[in-house]
């Protein structure tokens, strides 16, 4: 199984989190636009790759603990560091809005129908909910200037694209 998850900041390599060739073990690969694997290393067991830092020097992961997902960062050599333990179910994480922050979707448990969009801040080690309607929210991604957060939500009954404006604290529906 191969999944494209991110481009490097330079835009010249694609990062894959995939099953290694001939094995069920997961690996992280940097692939050129010619399809050549430039480098790879084994992925942490039970972890899901989420994002690459703006400087390209570290990767964000969600590690499954059996009851929830913890947030983990790694360098480009596969050295992992736990950054936040969690008692709830996280999905769809991204970096930002500030350096070191992680924006993620949080539910009380796996089966909970509603989710919040929250930001984990490393200085305070706390989660802060953004003023976004609790619904089935997915895929939070910050704009390059970190002023806007695009996300998918079914808050009006259909899964649509929304954008949250940090300055006004309001979201608008785009689709």
């Amino acid at each position: 199984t191969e999944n494209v998850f991110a481009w490097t900041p330079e835009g010249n390599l694609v990062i894959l989190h995939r099953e290694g060739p001939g094995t069920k073990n997961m690996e992280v690969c940097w692939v050129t636009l010619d399809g050549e694997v430039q480098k790879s290393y084994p992925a942490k067991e039970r972890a899901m790759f989420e994002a690459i830092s703006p400087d390209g020097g570290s990767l964000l992961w969600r590690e499954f603990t059996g009851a929830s997902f913890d947030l983990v960062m790694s360098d480009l050599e596969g050295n992992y560091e736990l950054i936040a333990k969690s008692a709830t179910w996280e999905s769809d994480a991204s970096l930002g809005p500030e350096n070191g922050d992680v924006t993620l979707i949080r539910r009380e448990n796996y089966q909970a129908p509603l989710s919040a969009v929250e930001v984990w801040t490393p200085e305070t080690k706390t989660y802060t909910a953004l003023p976004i309607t609790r619904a089935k929210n997915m895929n939070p991604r910050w704009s390059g200037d970190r002023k806007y957060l695009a996300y998918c939500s079914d808050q009006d009954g259909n899964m649509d694209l929304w954008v949250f404006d940090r300055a006004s604290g309001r979201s608008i529906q785009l689709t």
Side-chain angles (χ1 to χ4, degrees):
T1 303
E2 294 189 0
N3 296 296
V4 175
F5 283 96
W7 288 90
T8 58
E10 302 82 21
N12 61 344
L13 297 171
V14 178
I15 299 174
L16 295 177
H17 183 207
R18 70 174 187 182
E19 286 181 7
T23 177
K24 291 288 186 188
N25 298 327
M26 298 299 286
E27 66 179 2
V28 180
C29 303
W30 280 252
V31 181
T32 68
L33 297 178
D34 296 327
E36 178 185 335
V37 175
Q38 191 175 70
K39 74 177 199 171
S40 68
Y41 65 81
K44 187 175 179 93
E45 189 175 343
R46 298 167 45 124
M48 299 183 69
F49 172 64
E50 292 290 335
I52 186 169
S53 62
D55 68 0
S58 57
L59 305 177
L60 173 66
W61 300 81
R62 289 182 304 115
E63 182 179 11
F64 183 60
T65 64
S68 65
F69 281 93
D70 291 338
L71 297 175
V72 178
M73 293 294 287
S74 74
D75 62 17
L76 301 185
E77 303 304 317
N79 300 304
Y80 294 87
E81 176 185 354
L82 175 71
I83 60 171
K85 292 189 100 23
S86 178
T88 61
W89 190 270
E90 278 91 15
S91 64
D92 302 331
S94 66
L95 294 168
E98 302 301 328
N99 191 24
D101 289 353
V102 177
T103 300
L104 57 135
I105 305 299
R106 291 185 81 191
R107 294 182 285 172
E108 294 305 314
N109 59 57
Y110 176 73
Q111 297 174 334
L114 302 179
S115 57
V117 181
E118 298 186 6
V119 175
W120 178 82
T121 305
E123 290 81 26
T124 61
K125 299 193 180 329
T126 59
Y127 293 89
T128 304
L130 294 176
I132 292 174
T133 301
R134 288 181 60 84
K136 183 178 180 184
N137 296 312
M138 303 167 49
N139 303 319
R141 299 293 183 261
W142 287 100
S143 61
D145 60 9
R146 306 296 198 218
K147 292 180 181 181
Y148 304 98
L149 178 73
Y151 63 98
C152 294
S153 180
D154 72 348
Q155 59 189 274
D156 68 347
N158 298 311
M159 188 57 69
D160 291 303
L161 178 63
W162 291 73
V163 171
F164 170 75
D165 179 340
R166 277 180 78 190
S168 71
R170 294 188 307 212
S171 291
I172 59 168
Q173 183 178 346
L174 297 184
T175 64

